Amino acid sequence: MISAEDKEELSRLLKDRVIKTKDFPPLIPELQEHLVKDELRQMIHHPLLVTFHHEQDNAYHNKLIDVRKKMLGQHVANENIGSYLVMHERPYRLEALIEALHSWWNPANEKEYWDQVGWVYTDTEFLYHSMDQWKYLLFGGAGYLNNNLMMDDAEKEKYDSLPEYFTVYRGAIDPDGYSWTLDEDKARWFASRWGKSLKVFSKKVNKLEDTVAYFNSRNEEEILLNENHRYVNYEVEENNDEETKG
């Protein structure tokens, strides 16, 4: 929990950024190492802070990262994995989850493990960038096998109601991903959401042999395929809408 002193200091620095017009302090070296520049903008891309960078924010961001690191230490000391993961920015949560699992987090049971893995999985964009890490977490590499525990009650009810065979879709560069959807229109949206014309793939799957779970927390009707999904034949659909989640 943030202290009253830190909260007051952050509030003061937020006000100062509006008043001050020069003599800004430099970013601390840790944040300087995480500056990302392109032709149009400059950003801080730190595991605990992803934001646009402007010099007038330096003092505030220096203090903010200090406060967040203190809070992170408290979550580790209290073995609060949920709050620990939330403290991390979305692109860094998978790495944080694996690091915690290898260092201080000992799940009390399989349900605790799969609750956290499932949350990070459904919250992550561009899953295909980390296929090996997800394979490790999802398919027994970490020693936890009951991956259907990732579903909540409503999702489990929906999954159980699916027929033995059904069709799933994927809007992506290629079909080599674990995340597919029951909704063809959603796949087409993924294929065109960045203004690109990616492909829409479909395949008929056997629920028991080819799939693991159903997720709908983001209204995507997502089907998680098992690690041998690439051996299931697929077809390429016409995509008239001209990157994808996972």
Side-chain angles (χ1 to χ4, degrees), residues 75 79-86 96-97 100 104-105 112 116:
H75 296 324
E79 298 185 357
N80 189 335
I81 184 63
S83 296
Y84 175 85
L85 294 174
V86 169
L97 175 62
W104 60 269
W105 178 44
E112 180 183 337
Q116 299 305 322

Side-chain angles (χ1 to χ4, degrees), residues 107-138:
N109 49 51
E110 288 231 353
K111 179 60 175 171
E112 180 183 337
Y113 173 85
W114 289 113
D115 279 348
Q116 299 305 322
V117 171
W119 178 74
V120 175
Y121 179 84
T122 56
D123 186 62
T124 298
E125 295 281 354
F126 311 117
L127 294 162
Y128 54 83
H129 289 164
S130 308
M131 291 285 283
D132 289 342
Q133 291 95 320
W134 283 115
K135 180 177 180 179
Y136 169 78
L137 291 172
L138 292 170

